[in-house]
Amino acid sequence: SFIHELKKNNNQNKLFYDKENIKSTEVVDVIYIDPTTFDHMHSVLDIVLAFLFRNFKAKYESQKEEESKWIAEELIASFQNVYKFLSIIKDSQTILSEEFDASGSISKLAKLSESINLKEELRALLKMYGKYMSTAAPLTPKVLIAIDDLDLSMTHAYNLTEQIRKYLIIPEVVVIMAV
């Protein structure tokens, strides 16, 4: 109920909506995450990125206006950057094995430094995404990530919360967890 009220942005005389930060916020997307669907192959970042891209693609394909097409192209490039950095982080075993090989390449160091930029790139992506998906221009766009029953998947709960802490505690994201 709380999440649905946030998404509606219903500011009609409710005590909760008297808070300025809520009044000035537009939830442009709600991503529901079921922790029981996690496995060792997919991370919360994979799921968030997939949801965002799916919703972006739906709007992009239905859009008729040419003036916002260039923004969409920038957004696609940003999605690609974030996905590339995420792939580098996910393939940490390969990075570790290559780190100590005899050839020692500067490109390996470049890959490692790029992965450090994931949080900044994700934030830039979410800023562009919010502007692109927003329907209420003066409001601040945010993506809402809702995670219910985190305690039902204790094997993945730590990794999930650690990824949220590392990468998704940014101003463009609101995370709501139920345990």
Side-chain angles (χ1 to χ4, degrees):
S1 299
F2 176 75
I3 293 167
H4 291 295
E5 284 298 310
L6 274 178
K7 187 167 184 193
K8 285 193 300 187
N9 199 17
N10 184 357
N11 296 338
Q12 300 169 355
N13 296 323
K14 294 187 179 179
L15 179 62
F16 177 75
Y17 291 105
D18 286 340
K19 305 293 182 197
E20 282 305 312
N21 58 344
I22 300 297
K23 279 183 174 180
S24 65
T25 297
E26 175 193 11
V27 176
V28 293
D29 219 337
V30 178
I31 302 170
Y32 296 98
I33 297 178
D34 178 3
T36 61
T37 61
F38 280 95
D39 54 26
H40 66 282
M41 295 295 293
H42 297 98
S43 71
V44 69
L45 294 174
D46 290 326
I47 293 168
V48 167
L49 201 57
F51 270 96
L52 293 174
F53 189 76
R54 181 191 67 193
N55 294 343
F56 157 74
K57 185 178 174 197
K59 182 172 180 174
Y60 179 74
E61 289 173 349
S62 69
Q63 200 161 19
K64 307 279 189 271
E65 302 142 14
E66 281 300 314
E67 66 268 6
S68 60
K69 292 285 186 182
W70 67 271
I71 297 169
E73 298 301 323
E74 285 183 26
L75 197 48
I76 290 170
S78 187
F79 270 112
Q80 289 173 332
N81 257 355
V82 170
Y83 188 73
K84 178 179 78 172
F85 295 152
L86 184 57
S87 297
I88 291 169
I89 288 173
K90 283 176 66 174
D91 197 15
S92 59
Q93 286 303 105
T94 304
I95 289 172
L96 282 175
S97 66
E98 288 178 352
E99 184 177 0
F100 298 109
D101 73 355
S103 66
S105 169
I106 196 71
S107 66
K108 294 172 197 160
L109 186 58
K111 279 185 188 177
L112 187 59
S113 70
E114 285 177 352
S115 68
I116 294 169
N117 294 330
L118 177 59
K119 187 171 185 172
E120 290 83 19
E121 287 294 325
L122 186 59
R123 185 161 185 213
L125 168 68
L126 286 164
K127 281 181 181 180
M128 276 191 279
Y129 181 85
K131 287 178 186 173
Y132 186 78
M133 300 298 280
S134 179
T135 58
L139 299 179
T140 305
K142 300 215 186 253
V143 171
L144 176 68
I145 300 172
I147 304 168
D148 197 8
D149 297 326
L150 184 61
D151 54 326
L152 293 181
S153 180
M154 289 308 289
T155 55
H156 301 291
Y158 176 78
N159 287 337
L160 179 99
T161 54
E162 187 62 17
Q163 287 175 6
I164 289 169
R165 183 193 66 78
K166 278 184 179 175
Y167 303 111
L168 295 172
I169 303 299
I170 53 179
E172 294 75 21
V173 174
V174 175
V175 178
I176 297 177
M177 275 191 242
V179 183

